[in-house]
Amino acid sequence: MTLNDAVARRHTVKAFSAGKTLPQQEIDTLLNLLRNSPSSVNSQPWHFVVASTAEGREKMAQSTSGAFIYNNPKVLNASHVIALCMRTDLDEAHLQNVLAQEEKDGRFAKPEAKAGQDKSRRSYVDMHRYELRDVPQWMEKQVYLALGGLLLGAAMLGIDATPMEGFDARALDQALGLREQGFTSVVLVSLGYRSEEDFNATLPKSRLSQDEIFTFI
């Protein structure tokens, strides 16, 4: 499948075929994609909770009741559901952990390179913490970078996917114990096989024209 084919085929699935499970190899590929997602100054301010069992999906589904009940079947009937979460803060422990991993992975040829990377990353963190005062929004942007890659990767593998902001973040955080771990949920993605009830599969894509969205200079 070419990239153009995947982009044309990809759509937001409205109904999944229950009881069908994606191959673990494909899931592992998507998890590797998430792990290697880009982030500003390699801050990696995320955590991903993967529900691969009926029990796990039921726990996720606790956040899709009431006003969000329309998303409940998309969680329960999917093969896998991933909660993309962000940190509640870029604290000292996380900054040190990222730096240590970079050193372990051989990112620094000289000690001054390590010091330079640490200084650069901290300067961005401080800018967003003090001048811009938007650390949560900045971290959330990084999570959405990961989301975009996940959706495109799923499309390339022929996996049906549904991104969802329609859920109760507080309920999901409580169900998964996220806040006690220093995280909060941002967006859900269901993965699996679309069912015959997926009306969106037969509808044409609708996007603004190229002339309206591109400016060439």
Side-chain angles (χ1 to χ4, degrees), residues 1-13 154-161 192-194 200-201 205:
M1 184 184 300
T2 68
L3 180 58
N4 280 332
D5 290 337
V7 170
R9 179 188 181 278
R10 192 215 69 77
H11 69 282
T12 297
V13 172
M156 287 294 293
L157 293 174
I159 295 173
D160 294 313
Y193 299 94
R194 64 175 182 257
N200 208 25
K205 280 186 178 292

Side-chain angles (χ1 to χ4, degrees), residues 67-112:
F68 307 113
I69 194 66
Y70 60 93
N71 277 330
N72 191 265
K74 302 185 189 84
V75 173
L76 293 177
N77 295 335
S79 169
H80 290 66
V81 183
I82 302 178
L84 285 74
C85 311
M86 71 179 195
R87 303 187 65 84
T88 54
D89 188 26
L90 283 173
D91 57 19
E92 181 64 23
H94 180 68
L95 295 177
Q96 290 287 355
N97 188 37
V98 171
L99 188 67
Q101 186 65 52
E102 289 172 332
E103 183 173 36
K104 181 180 178 181
D105 290 335
R107 295 282 297 173
F108 311 124
K110 299 178 180 180
E112 50 265 36

Side-chain angles (χ1 to χ4, degrees), residues 7 29 40 46 49 52-53 64 97 108 111 113 124 130 132 144 161 164 168 177 207 217:
V7 170
T29 296
S40 179
W46 46 49
V49 180
S52 59
T53 64
T64 54
N97 188 37
F108 311 124
Y124 273 85
Y130 300 113
L132 300 176
Y144 275 92
M164 291 172 283
D168 186 331
R207 299 292 189 270
I217 60 174

